[in-house]
Amino acid sequence: MGVYELVRSEDAAGPALDLEAGRCGPPPTAKASPAAPRQQRLVSLDVFRGITVLLMIIVDDAGSFLPAMNHSPWEGVTIADFVMPFFLFIVGVALALAYKRVPDKLDATRKATLRALKLFCVGLVLQGGFFHGVRSLTFGVDITQIRLMGILQRIAIAYLVTALCQIWLKGDDDVDSGLDLIKRYRYQLLAGLLITITYMVLLYGTYVPDWEYRISGPGSTEKTFTVKCGVRGDSGPGCNAVGMIDRKILGIQHLYGRPVYARSQQCSIDSPQNGPLPPDAPSWCQAPFDPEGLLSSVMAIVTCLIGLQYGHIIVHFQVKCLLSIW
């Protein structure tokens, strides 16, 4: 996804669009060459990607001592919480440019699937616990405890679904206005709407029963905690449908062991930093919870689809710009 072929629309011909300069204009004088046409970069997307990477680095380095640069313990939002949506948005825009023309849908599907699998496997290696105990005899992979989901895994899932939508759910309607743009990509918009409705139904309609978990205590002893729920539509850390679905499908032993809500006021006397448990801490404070779990990754797909629609605007703006200078 590094280079995007920014070409004129199939129905348009004439002066080229200077996307790098951000304006319409006549093509620069160039000598004819038998070589393949140069593939341009969309500079605005590269700049936004660079800003997002810089923000990620700042969050990773400064988040531990600047609460405003750290992820919100649960409720609320901080600047750090925008990093993942920004990356997903970038993926969506890039897909609109990369799959502007799809001559062979089956081959494009195969390549997109393979790319997503590779990305998922890289995430599994980096965040699955493969590097624990590097300086001891415990080094290795504990398959029974490996973390299955993570940042790259979420991006891989969102990328694959969005790529399939771009490959298979794209109409052939001519685009002369904003309404035409909606008509051409109506099935993609419908897919995003259905995904959102499914997420909301599961989030607020799924019954969450009582559950328990175990953690290792001093002297290799295990302590068992019971979390009382028996509710629907709860959005708190202990009894939400997101965690329940991950525990049922992935298994609690495969979830992230250092949940972000451990820094909340209910679970840390040094909140918003990590600290000792308060005397009246809820039973779920030490329970595993994956911020990149299955149900939460469903809305990551929608974020990627939003980026895809912005990419469509960029692609078709090129056509409108070309027509305006004829």
Side-chain angles (χ1 to χ4, degrees):
M1 306 303 293
V3 179
Y4 321 112
E5 185 181 359
L6 302 178
V7 297
R8 289 195 295 269
S9 172
E10 295 85 348
D11 303 323
L17 170 66
D18 188 358
L19 280 174
E20 294 187 353
R23 65 178 183 272
C24 295
T29 304
K31 296 180 179 180
S33 173
R38 184 174 68 91
Q39 291 181 323
Q40 296 178 329
R41 303 283 307 191
L42 181 57
V43 175
S44 59
L45 186 63
D46 286 338
V47 170
F48 185 46
R49 182 189 293 109
I51 293 173
T52 304
V53 172
L54 176 62
L55 178 61
M56 178 186 66
I57 294 172
I58 294 175
V59 167
D60 288 343
D61 292 340
S64 58
F65 56 88
L66 289 177
M69 299 299 297
N70 204 347
H71 290 285
S72 173
W74 191 256
E75 296 178 346
V77 64
T78 67
I79 192 171
D81 298 316
F82 288 98
V83 174
M84 173 62 82
F86 283 172
F87 275 121
L88 293 168
F89 179 87
I90 291 169
V91 170
V93 175
L95 282 170
L97 303 176
Y99 290 111
K100 182 176 183 292
R101 292 177 178 173
V102 185
D104 188 339
K105 292 185 177 181
L106 289 177
D107 184 60
T109 300
R110 179 185 63 83
K111 291 180 179 179
T113 303
L114 183 60
R115 186 177 290 114
L117 286 174
K118 290 179 180 178
L119 186 60
F120 192 95
C121 291
V122 170
L124 198 63
V125 171
L126 293 178
Q127 292 191 290
F130 276 74
F131 300 122
H132 71 276
V134 176
R135 295 180 177 84
S136 69
L137 295 179
T138 63
F139 176 71
V141 181
D142 187 355
I143 299 298
T144 62
Q145 300 290 329
I146 189 172
R147 184 187 176 193
L148 297 178
M149 296 297 292
I151 294 172
L152 293 182
Q153 294 94 310
R154 167 175 285 184
I155 295 177
I157 293 172
Y159 163 83
L160 179 59
V161 176
T162 306
L164 293 178
C165 287
Q166 176 67 1
I167 293 169
W168 293 98
L169 301 181
K170 181 169 63 174
D172 298 323
D173 307 73
D174 293 332
V175 177
D176 295 319
S177 65
L179 183 59
D180 292 335
L181 193 66
I182 294 175
K183 289 180 179 179
R184 182 181 176 106
Y185 300 105
R186 58 189 179 275
Y187 296 115
Q188 295 179 6
L189 297 173
L190 179 61
L193 179 61
L194 292 177
I195 291 172
T196 302
I197 292 174
T198 301
Y199 170 81
M200 298 298 289
V201 169
L202 291 175
L203 181 65
Y204 292 105
T206 303
Y207 177 78
V208 181
D210 298 344
W211 57 283
E212 63 180 29
Y213 67 98
R214 296 180 178 85
I215 61 172
S216 298
S220 299
T221 60
E222 283 193 344
K223 297 177 63 178
T224 301
F225 295 88
T226 300
V227 182
K228 297 292 185 179
C229 293
V231 295
R232 281 187 175 88
D234 191 282
S235 59
C239 298
N240 60 79
V242 175
M244 191 274 290
I245 290 176
D246 287 341
R247 291 191 296 270
K248 293 293 185 182
I249 297 178
L250 301 177
I252 194 170
Q253 72 277 13
H254 296 295
L255 304 184
Y256 187 53
R258 292 175 292 175
V260 68
Y261 53 66
R263 297 188 288 107
S264 65
Q265 292 182 354
Q266 296 166 290
C267 300
S268 172
I269 60 175
D270 297 329
S271 180
Q273 305 296 340
N274 287 306
L277 289 170
D280 57 345
S283 57
W284 44 260
C285 278
Q286 301 177 78
F289 180 85
D290 209 314
E292 286 86 31
L294 294 174
L295 186 56
S296 56
S297 294
V298 169
M299 288 307 293
I301 298 172
V302 176
T303 304
C304 204
L305 284 171
I306 293 173
L308 183 67
Q309 305 314 310
Y310 273 83
H312 293 155
I313 295 173
I314 293 173
V315 169
H316 290 283
F317 169 78
Q318 178 184 11
V319 179
K320 299 294 289 183
C321 190
L322 287 168
L323 294 176
S324 68
I325 62 175
W326 271 21

PDB file of all heavy atoms in Angstrom, residues 7-13 15 17 19 24 100 174-176 184 312-326:
ATOM      1  N   VAL A   7      -4.540   8.014 -11.387  1.00  0.00           N
ATOM      2  CA  VAL A   7      -4.751   8.159 -12.817  1.00  0.00           C
ATOM      3  C   VAL A   7      -6.086   8.827 -13.067  1.00  0.00           C
ATOM      4  O   VAL A   7      -6.941   8.906 -12.196  1.00  0.00           O
ATOM      5  CB  VAL A   7      -4.705   6.782 -13.523  1.00  0.00           C
ATOM      6  CG1 VAL A   7      -3.349   6.160 -13.372  1.00  0.00           C
ATOM      7  CG2 VAL A   7      -5.783   5.855 -12.954  1.00  0.00           C
ATOM      8  N   ARG A   8      -6.291   9.281 -14.295  1.00  0.00           N
ATOM      9  CA  ARG A   8      -7.554   9.897 -14.639  1.00  0.00           C
ATOM     10  C   ARG A   8      -8.649   8.858 -14.678  1.00  0.00           C
ATOM     11  O   ARG A   8      -8.411   7.676 -14.885  1.00  0.00           O
ATOM     12  CB  ARG A   8      -7.437  10.599 -15.994  1.00  0.00           C
ATOM     13  CG  ARG A   8      -6.585  11.856 -15.937  1.00  0.00           C
ATOM     14  CD  ARG A   8      -6.806  12.689 -17.183  1.00  0.00           C
ATOM     15  NE  ARG A   8      -6.353  12.000 -18.370  1.00  0.00           N
ATOM     16  CZ  ARG A   8      -5.126  12.101 -18.861  1.00  0.00           C
ATOM     17  NH1 ARG A   8      -4.243  12.843 -18.248  1.00  0.00           N
ATOM     18  NH2 ARG A   8      -4.782  11.470 -19.961  1.00  0.00           N
ATOM     19  N   SER A   9      -9.870   9.318 -14.515  1.00  0.00           N
ATOM     20  CA  SER A   9     -11.025   8.435 -14.557  1.00  0.00           C
ATOM     21  C   SER A   9     -11.131   7.785 -15.918  1.00  0.00           C
ATOM     22  O   SER A   9     -10.661   8.294 -16.925  1.00  0.00           O
ATOM     23  CB  SER A   9     -12.301   9.225 -14.261  1.00  0.00           C
ATOM     24  OG  SER A   9     -13.431   8.427 -14.480  1.00  0.00           O
ATOM     25  N   GLU A  10     -11.797   6.621 -15.954  1.00  0.00           N
ATOM     26  CA  GLU A  10     -11.970   5.909 -17.203  1.00  0.00           C
ATOM     27  C   GLU A  10     -12.737   6.742 -18.220  1.00  0.00           C
ATOM     28  O   GLU A  10     -12.587   6.562 -19.427  1.00  0.00           O
ATOM     29  CB  GLU A  10     -12.735   4.595 -16.957  1.00  0.00           C
ATOM     30  CG  GLU A  10     -11.976   3.607 -16.106  1.00  0.00           C
ATOM     31  CD  GLU A  10     -12.163   3.862 -14.629  1.00  0.00           C
ATOM     32  OE1 GLU A  10     -12.696   4.923 -14.276  1.00  0.00           O
ATOM     33  OE2 GLU A  10     -11.776   3.005 -13.847  1.00  0.00           O
ATOM     34  N   ASP A  11     -13.566   7.660 -17.759  1.00  0.00           N
ATOM     35  CA  ASP A  11     -14.410   8.443 -18.645  1.00  0.00           C
ATOM     36  C   ASP A  11     -13.850   9.830 -18.929  1.00  0.00           C
ATOM     37  O   ASP A  11     -14.482  10.644 -19.574  1.00  0.00           O
ATOM     38  CB  ASP A  11     -15.814   8.604 -18.043  1.00  0.00           C
ATOM     39  CG  ASP A  11     -16.435   7.258 -17.776  1.00  0.00           C
ATOM     40  OD1 ASP A  11     -16.211   6.352 -18.587  1.00  0.00           O
ATOM     41  OD2 ASP A  11     -17.135   7.130 -16.767  1.00  0.00           O
ATOM     42  N   ALA A  12     -12.678  10.124 -18.386  1.00  0.00           N
ATOM     43  CA  ALA A  12     -12.129  11.467 -18.541  1.00  0.00           C
ATOM     44  C   ALA A  12     -10.807  11.422 -19.269  1.00  0.00           C
ATOM     45  O   ALA A  12     -10.044  10.491 -19.149  1.00  0.00           O
ATOM     46  CB  ALA A  12     -11.939  12.143 -17.170  1.00  0.00           C
ATOM     47  N   ALA A  13     -10.538  12.456 -20.022  1.00  0.00           N
ATOM     48  CA  ALA A  13      -9.257  12.588 -20.693  1.00  0.00           C
ATOM     49  C   ALA A  13      -8.943  14.062 -20.773  1.00  0.00           C
ATOM     50  O   ALA A  13      -9.826  14.901 -20.818  1.00  0.00           O
ATOM     51  CB  ALA A  13      -9.311  11.974 -22.088  1.00  0.00           C
ATOM     52  N   PRO A  15      -6.126  17.350 -19.527  1.00  0.00           N
ATOM     53  CA  PRO A  15      -5.016  17.784 -18.690  1.00  0.00           C
ATOM     54  C   PRO A  15      -4.945  16.987 -17.397  1.00  0.00           C
ATOM     55  O   PRO A  15      -5.948  16.560 -16.868  1.00  0.00           O
ATOM     56  CB  PRO A  15      -5.355  19.266 -18.413  1.00  0.00           C
ATOM     57  CG  PRO A  15      -6.285  19.661 -19.510  1.00  0.00           C
ATOM     58  CD  PRO A  15      -7.057  18.444 -19.853  1.00  0.00           C
ATOM     59  N   LEU A  17      -4.075  16.173 -13.375  1.00  0.00           N
ATOM     60  CA  LEU A  17      -4.302  16.843 -12.094  1.00  0.00           C
ATOM     61  C   LEU A  17      -3.031  16.795 -11.275  1.00  0.00           C
ATOM     62  O   LEU A  17      -2.442  15.731 -11.101  1.00  0.00           O
ATOM     63  CB  LEU A  17      -5.418  16.144 -11.336  1.00  0.00           C
ATOM     64  CG  LEU A  17      -5.613  16.568  -9.877  1.00  0.00           C
ATOM     65  CD1 LEU A  17      -6.085  18.008  -9.831  1.00  0.00           C
ATOM     66  CD2 LEU A  17      -6.617  15.666  -9.200  1.00  0.00           C
ATOM     67  N   LEU A  19      -1.945  16.486  -8.126  1.00  0.00           N
ATOM     68  CA  LEU A  19      -2.391  16.164  -6.767  1.00  0.00           C
ATOM     69  C   LEU A  19      -1.355  16.583  -5.739  1.00  0.00           C
ATOM     70  O   LEU A  19      -1.672  16.915  -4.612  1.00  0.00           O
ATOM     71  CB  LEU A  19      -2.671  14.664  -6.657  1.00  0.00           C
ATOM     72  CG  LEU A  19      -4.013  14.190  -7.207  1.00  0.00           C
ATOM     73  CD1 LEU A  19      -4.074  12.682  -7.162  1.00  0.00           C
ATOM     74  CD2 LEU A  19      -5.154  14.788  -6.438  1.00  0.00           C
ATOM     75  N   CYS A  24      -5.603  22.103  -9.813  1.00  0.00           N
ATOM     76  CA  CYS A  24      -5.716  21.698 -11.204  1.00  0.00           C
ATOM     77  C   CYS A  24      -4.740  22.515 -12.030  1.00  0.00           C
ATOM     78  O   CYS A  24      -4.416  23.640 -11.704  1.00  0.00           O
ATOM     79  CB  CYS A  24      -7.136  21.940 -11.717  1.00  0.00           C
ATOM     80  SG  CYS A  24      -8.355  20.919 -10.898  1.00  0.00           S
ATOM     81  N   LYS A 100      -8.523   1.671  -7.148  1.00  0.00           N
ATOM     82  CA  LYS A 100      -9.347   2.522  -8.008  1.00  0.00           C
ATOM     83  C   LYS A 100      -9.810   1.745  -9.233  1.00  0.00           C
ATOM     84  O   LYS A 100     -10.938   1.880  -9.700  1.00  0.00           O
ATOM     85  CB  LYS A 100      -8.553   3.746  -8.434  1.00  0.00           C
ATOM     86  CG  LYS A 100      -9.337   4.731  -9.292  1.00  0.00           C
ATOM     87  CD  LYS A 100      -8.498   5.961  -9.585  1.00  0.00           C
ATOM     88  CE  LYS A 100      -9.320   6.973 -10.370  1.00  0.00           C
ATOM     89  NZ  LYS A 100      -9.625   6.492 -11.729  1.00  0.00           N
ATOM     90  N   ASP A 174     -21.930   6.668 -13.257  1.00  0.00           N
ATOM     91  CA  ASP A 174     -21.129   7.863 -13.511  1.00  0.00           C
ATOM     92  C   ASP A 174     -21.310   8.833 -12.343  1.00  0.00           C
ATOM     93  O   ASP A 174     -22.388   8.947 -11.764  1.00  0.00           O
ATOM     94  CB  ASP A 174     -21.552   8.532 -14.813  1.00  0.00           C
ATOM     95  CG  ASP A 174     -21.236   7.668 -16.027  1.00  0.00           C
ATOM     96  OD1 ASP A 174     -20.268   6.884 -15.942  1.00  0.00           O
ATOM     97  OD2 ASP A 174     -21.958   7.767 -17.035  1.00  0.00           O
ATOM     98  N   VAL A 175     -20.250   9.533 -12.013  1.00  0.00           N
ATOM     99  CA  VAL A 175     -20.272  10.460 -10.879  1.00  0.00           C
ATOM    100  C   VAL A 175     -20.158  11.879 -11.396  1.00  0.00           C
ATOM    101  O   VAL A 175     -19.113  12.293 -11.913  1.00  0.00           O
ATOM    102  CB  VAL A 175     -19.129  10.159  -9.887  1.00  0.00           C
ATOM    103  CG1 VAL A 175     -19.120  11.182  -8.760  1.00  0.00           C
ATOM    104  CG2 VAL A 175     -19.275   8.756  -9.328  1.00  0.00           C
ATOM    105  N   ASP A 176     -21.251  12.630 -11.298  1.00  0.00           N
ATOM    106  CA  ASP A 176     -21.276  14.029 -11.689  1.00  0.00           C
ATOM    107  C   ASP A 176     -21.640  14.946 -10.519  1.00  0.00           C
ATOM    108  O   ASP A 176     -21.597  16.163 -10.655  1.00  0.00           O
ATOM    109  CB  ASP A 176     -22.281  14.257 -12.820  1.00  0.00           C
ATOM    110  CG  ASP A 176     -21.870  13.533 -14.103  1.00  0.00           C
ATOM    111  OD1 ASP A 176     -20.667  13.540 -14.420  1.00  0.00           O
ATOM    112  OD2 ASP A 176     -22.753  12.946 -14.764  1.00  0.00           O
ATOM    113  N   ARG A 184     -23.076   5.423  -6.428  1.00  0.00           N
ATOM    114  CA  ARG A 184     -22.035   4.508  -6.893  1.00  0.00           C
ATOM    115  C   ARG A 184     -21.531   3.597  -5.776  1.00  0.00           C
ATOM    116  O   ARG A 184     -21.245   2.423  -5.987  1.00  0.00           O
ATOM    117  CB  ARG A 184     -20.871   5.317  -7.481  1.00  0.00           C
ATOM    118  CG  ARG A 184     -19.742   4.453  -8.058  1.00  0.00           C
ATOM    119  CD  ARG A 184     -18.634   5.324  -8.596  1.00  0.00           C
ATOM    120  NE  ARG A 184     -17.518   4.519  -9.069  1.00  0.00           N
ATOM    121  CZ  ARG A 184     -17.221   4.321 -10.349  1.00  0.00           C
ATOM    122  NH1 ARG A 184     -17.976   4.861 -11.290  1.00  0.00           N
ATOM    123  NH2 ARG A 184     -16.166   3.603 -10.681  1.00  0.00           N
ATOM    124  N   HIS A 312     -12.695   8.036  -1.928  1.00  0.00           N
ATOM    125  CA  HIS A 312     -13.514   8.165  -3.134  1.00  0.00           C
ATOM    126  C   HIS A 312     -13.670   9.629  -3.533  1.00  0.00           C
ATOM    127  O   HIS A 312     -13.649   9.974  -4.718  1.00  0.00           O
ATOM    128  CB  HIS A 312     -14.897   7.548  -2.899  1.00  0.00           C
ATOM    129  CG  HIS A 312     -14.858   6.068  -2.720  1.00  0.00           C
ATOM    130  ND1 HIS A 312     -15.828   5.379  -2.023  1.00  0.00           N
ATOM    131  CD2 HIS A 312     -13.965   5.138  -3.136  1.00  0.00           C
ATOM    132  CE1 HIS A 312     -15.536   4.091  -2.029  1.00  0.00           C
ATOM    133  NE2 HIS A 312     -14.409   3.916  -2.684  1.00  0.00           N
ATOM    134  N   ILE A 313     -13.852  10.494  -2.538  1.00  0.00           N
ATOM    135  CA  ILE A 313     -13.988  11.929  -2.827  1.00  0.00           C
ATOM    136  C   ILE A 313     -12.716  12.450  -3.486  1.00  0.00           C
ATOM    137  O   ILE A 313     -12.767  13.228  -4.451  1.00  0.00           O
ATOM    138  CB  ILE A 313     -14.299  12.703  -1.536  1.00  0.00           C
ATOM    139  CG1 ILE A 313     -15.666  12.283  -0.976  1.00  0.00           C
ATOM    140  CG2 ILE A 313     -14.255  14.206  -1.775  1.00  0.00           C
ATOM    141  CD1 ILE A 313     -15.987  12.863   0.378  1.00  0.00           C
ATOM    142  N   ILE A 314     -11.555  12.020  -2.977  1.00  0.00           N
ATOM    143  CA  ILE A 314     -10.284  12.447  -3.568  1.00  0.00           C
ATOM    144  C   ILE A 314     -10.182  11.974  -5.014  1.00  0.00           C
ATOM    145  O   ILE A 314      -9.792  12.728  -5.917  1.00  0.00           O
ATOM    146  CB  ILE A 314      -9.106  11.912  -2.733  1.00  0.00           C
ATOM    147  CG1 ILE A 314      -9.091  12.571  -1.354  1.00  0.00           C
ATOM    148  CG2 ILE A 314      -7.783  12.160  -3.452  1.00  0.00           C
ATOM    149  CD1 ILE A 314      -8.069  11.997  -0.403  1.00  0.00           C
ATOM    150  N   VAL A 315     -10.531  10.708  -5.251  1.00  0.00           N
ATOM    151  CA  VAL A 315     -10.438  10.143  -6.597  1.00  0.00           C
ATOM    152  C   VAL A 315     -11.349  10.878  -7.566  1.00  0.00           C
ATOM    153  O   VAL A 315     -10.952  11.248  -8.678  1.00  0.00           O
ATOM    154  CB  VAL A 315     -10.771   8.631  -6.571  1.00  0.00           C
ATOM    155  CG1 VAL A 315     -10.951   8.096  -7.985  1.00  0.00           C
ATOM    156  CG2 VAL A 315      -9.681   7.859  -5.842  1.00  0.00           C
ATOM    157  N   HIS A 316     -12.593  11.128  -7.166  1.00  0.00           N
ATOM    158  CA  HIS A 316     -13.548  11.741  -8.076  1.00  0.00           C
ATOM    159  C   HIS A 316     -13.390  13.256  -8.141  1.00  0.00           C
ATOM    160  O   HIS A 316     -13.838  13.874  -9.101  1.00  0.00           O
ATOM    161  CB  HIS A 316     -14.977  11.357  -7.679  1.00  0.00           C
ATOM    162  CG  HIS A 316     -15.272   9.908  -7.935  1.00  0.00           C
ATOM    163  ND1 HIS A 316     -15.526   9.420  -9.191  1.00  0.00           N
ATOM    164  CD2 HIS A 316     -15.321   8.846  -7.097  1.00  0.00           C
ATOM    165  CE1 HIS A 316     -15.729   8.107  -9.119  1.00  0.00           C
ATOM    166  NE2 HIS A 316     -15.611   7.744  -7.860  1.00  0.00           N
ATOM    167  N   PHE A 317     -12.746  13.839  -7.129  1.00  0.00           N
ATOM    168  CA  PHE A 317     -12.397  15.258  -7.225  1.00  0.00           C
ATOM    169  C   PHE A 317     -11.425  15.474  -8.377  1.00  0.00           C
ATOM    170  O   PHE A 317     -11.446  16.507  -9.048  1.00  0.00           O
ATOM    171  CB  PHE A 317     -11.765  15.734  -5.916  1.00  0.00           C
ATOM    172  CG  PHE A 317     -11.137  17.095  -6.010  1.00  0.00           C
ATOM    173  CD1 PHE A 317     -11.912  18.224  -5.977  1.00  0.00           C
ATOM    174  CD2 PHE A 317      -9.766  17.229  -6.139  1.00  0.00           C
ATOM    175  CE1 PHE A 317     -11.332  19.478  -6.070  1.00  0.00           C
ATOM    176  CE2 PHE A 317      -9.182  18.471  -6.228  1.00  0.00           C
ATOM    177  CZ  PHE A 317      -9.968  19.600  -6.192  1.00  0.00           C
ATOM    178  N   GLN A 318     -10.593  14.496  -8.613  1.00  0.00           N
ATOM    179  CA  GLN A 318      -9.666  14.567  -9.736  1.00  0.00           C
ATOM    180  C   GLN A 318     -10.425  14.719 -11.048  1.00  0.00           C
ATOM    181  O   GLN A 318     -10.090  15.537 -11.904  1.00  0.00           O
ATOM    182  CB  GLN A 318      -8.806  13.299  -9.786  1.00  0.00           C
ATOM    183  CG  GLN A 318      -7.831  13.236 -10.958  1.00  0.00           C
ATOM    184  CD  GLN A 318      -7.089  11.918 -10.993  1.00  0.00           C
ATOM    185  OE1 GLN A 318      -7.449  10.992 -10.283  1.00  0.00           O
ATOM    186  NE2 GLN A 318      -6.076  11.838 -11.808  1.00  0.00           N
ATOM    187  N   VAL A 319     -11.499  13.937 -11.221  1.00  0.00           N
ATOM    188  CA  VAL A 319     -12.293  14.004 -12.435  1.00  0.00           C
ATOM    189  C   VAL A 319     -12.954  15.377 -12.571  1.00  0.00           C
ATOM    190  O   VAL A 319     -12.930  16.001 -13.630  1.00  0.00           O
ATOM    191  CB  VAL A 319     -13.366  12.886 -12.440  1.00  0.00           C
ATOM    192  CG1 VAL A 319     -14.220  12.968 -13.682  1.00  0.00           C
ATOM    193  CG2 VAL A 319     -12.694  11.522 -12.337  1.00  0.00           C
ATOM    194  N   LYS A 320     -13.585  15.868 -11.491  1.00  0.00           N
ATOM    195  CA  LYS A 320     -14.272  17.151 -11.541  1.00  0.00           C
ATOM    196  C   LYS A 320     -13.291  18.282 -11.849  1.00  0.00           C
ATOM    197  O   LYS A 320     -13.592  19.227 -12.564  1.00  0.00           O
ATOM    198  CB  LYS A 320     -14.975  17.422 -10.218  1.00  0.00           C
ATOM    199  CG  LYS A 320     -16.039  16.394  -9.860  1.00  0.00           C
ATOM    200  CD  LYS A 320     -17.204  16.430 -10.820  1.00  0.00           C
ATOM    201  CE  LYS A 320     -18.033  17.674 -10.628  1.00  0.00           C
ATOM    202  NZ  LYS A 320     -19.215  17.698 -11.505  1.00  0.00           N
ATOM    203  N   CYS A 321     -12.087  18.158 -11.280  1.00  0.00           N
ATOM    204  CA  CYS A 321     -11.086  19.177 -11.499  1.00  0.00           C
ATOM    205  C   CYS A 321     -10.641  19.190 -12.957  1.00  0.00           C
ATOM    206  O   CYS A 321     -10.439  20.239 -13.565  1.00  0.00           O
ATOM    207  CB  CYS A 321      -9.907  18.921 -10.582  1.00  0.00           C
ATOM    208  SG  CYS A 321      -8.691  20.227 -10.510  1.00  0.00           S
ATOM    209  N   LEU A 322     -10.507  18.017 -13.520  1.00  0.00           N
ATOM    210  CA  LEU A 322     -10.117  17.921 -14.924  1.00  0.00           C
ATOM    211  C   LEU A 322     -11.180  18.549 -15.837  1.00  0.00           C
ATOM    212  O   LEU A 322     -10.872  19.297 -16.757  1.00  0.00           O
ATOM    213  CB  LEU A 322      -9.906  16.451 -15.302  1.00  0.00           C
ATOM    214  CG  LEU A 322      -8.636  15.786 -14.759  1.00  0.00           C
ATOM    215  CD1 LEU A 322      -8.707  14.291 -14.963  1.00  0.00           C
ATOM    216  CD2 LEU A 322      -7.402  16.350 -15.445  1.00  0.00           C
ATOM    217  N   LEU A 323     -12.438  18.246 -15.555  1.00  0.00           N
ATOM    218  CA  LEU A 323     -13.526  18.768 -16.381  1.00  0.00           C
ATOM    219  C   LEU A 323     -13.636  20.273 -16.276  1.00  0.00           C
ATOM    220  O   LEU A 323     -14.013  20.971 -17.226  1.00  0.00           O
ATOM    221  CB  LEU A 323     -14.848  18.104 -15.991  1.00  0.00           C
ATOM    222  CG  LEU A 323     -14.940  16.591 -16.283  1.00  0.00           C
ATOM    223  CD1 LEU A 323     -16.261  16.051 -15.747  1.00  0.00           C
ATOM    224  CD2 LEU A 323     -14.797  16.301 -17.767  1.00  0.00           C
ATOM    225  N   SER A 324     -13.308  20.822 -15.106  1.00  0.00           N
ATOM    226  CA  SER A 324     -13.469  22.257 -14.886  1.00  0.00           C
ATOM    227  C   SER A 324     -12.454  23.086 -15.672  1.00  0.00           C
ATOM    228  O   SER A 324     -12.674  24.288 -15.872  1.00  0.00           O
ATOM    229  CB  SER A 324     -13.358  22.573 -13.399  1.00  0.00           C
ATOM    230  OG  SER A 324     -12.026  22.352 -12.943  1.00  0.00           O
ATOM    231  N   ILE A 325     -11.351  22.493 -16.106  1.00  0.00           N
ATOM    232  CA  ILE A 325     -10.327  23.268 -16.812  1.00  0.00           C
ATOM    233  C   ILE A 325     -10.383  23.014 -18.316  1.00  0.00           C
ATOM    234  O   ILE A 325      -9.539  23.491 -19.048  1.00  0.00           O
ATOM    235  CB  ILE A 325      -8.930  22.950 -16.288  1.00  0.00           C
ATOM    236  CG1 ILE A 325      -8.586  21.477 -16.511  1.00  0.00           C
ATOM    237  CG2 ILE A 325      -8.815  23.295 -14.829  1.00  0.00           C
ATOM    238  CD1 ILE A 325      -7.163  21.133 -16.119  1.00  0.00           C
ATOM    239  N   TRP A 326     -11.353  22.258 -18.766  1.00  0.00           N
ATOM    240  CA  TRP A 326     -11.497  22.040 -20.215  1.00  0.00           C
ATOM    241  C   TRP A 326     -11.951  23.329 -20.878  1.00  0.00           C
ATOM    242  O   TRP A 326     -12.756  24.055 -20.363  1.00  0.00           O
ATOM    243  CB  TRP A 326     -12.511  20.933 -20.462  1.00  0.00           C
ATOM    244  CG  TRP A 326     -11.852  19.602 -20.483  1.00  0.00           C
ATOM    245  CD1 TRP A 326     -10.648  19.250 -19.952  1.00  0.00           C
ATOM    246  CD2 TRP A 326     -12.392  18.421 -21.081  1.00  0.00           C
ATOM    247  NE1 TRP A 326     -10.392  17.944 -20.170  1.00  0.00           N
ATOM    248  CE2 TRP A 326     -11.454  17.389 -20.860  1.00  0.00           C
ATOM    249  CE3 TRP A 326     -13.554  18.115 -21.760  1.00  0.00           C
ATOM    250  CZ2 TRP A 326     -11.641  16.099 -21.311  1.00  0.00           C
ATOM    251  CZ3 TRP A 326     -13.737  16.822 -22.198  1.00  0.00           C
ATOM    252  CH2 TRP A 326     -12.773  15.823 -21.981  1.00  0.00           C
TER     253      TRP A 326
END
